[in-house]
Amino acid sequence: MPFWELQRQLGIDVDKWLLRQSMPQPYGKAAACHAFEREWVECGHGLGQTRARRECQPEYEDFMECMHRTKLAVRLRTILEQRDKMIKEGKYTPPDYHKGKEELRP
C-alpha cells in the first residue's frame, strides 16, 4: 500500500507537533512541562477517559497552565490594571526608567 510509512518516505515528522513534551528534546534535557505531563498521564493511566477527566482534573489544569500560561497572563493583566488605576489616582509614580526617559549618567 502506498500510504504505509508515508512520513518516513517523505522525511517529515507530523507527530512532533502533536507530542510537544514527550518527543526527544535538544541536548537530552527534559522539556519544561514534562513533569506536569507525566503526572497527568500517570494519574489517568488505566482509569478510562470519563473517569480520568473527573479524577485527574487538577493534574490536567497544572499541565495546561504550564503549557499556555493563561492564569499567569490574567494575573499580570490584573496587576497592570491596578498599577494604571493607582497612577490615575496619584497614589503611585513610576520611576523615570519605566516612563521611557533615559537615565542620567555621570
Side-chain angles (χ1 to χ4, degrees), residues 32-90:
C33 301
H34 180 73
F36 292 107
E37 181 184 27
R38 189 178 190 108
E39 287 177 6
W40 175 54
V41 170
E42 287 176 359
C43 175
H45 180 72
L47 291 179
Q49 187 175 17
T50 306
R51 187 172 162 204
R53 280 187 188 166
R54 184 176 55 243
E55 294 183 16
C56 301
Q57 188 66 29
E59 288 85 355
Y60 182 72
E61 286 178 2
D62 290 343
F63 176 51
M64 286 294 113
E65 171 59 22
C66 184
M67 292 285 288
H68 302 295
R69 308 278 192 219
T70 52
K71 293 178 186 176
L72 179 69
V74 169
R75 181 171 177 247
L76 182 60
R77 190 177 313 118
T78 305
I79 290 170
L80 292 176
E81 287 171 359
Q82 184 179 7
R83 183 198 67 177
D84 293 341
K85 179 182 172 186
M86 289 177 69
I87 289 173
K88 286 181 182 177
E89 293 174 355

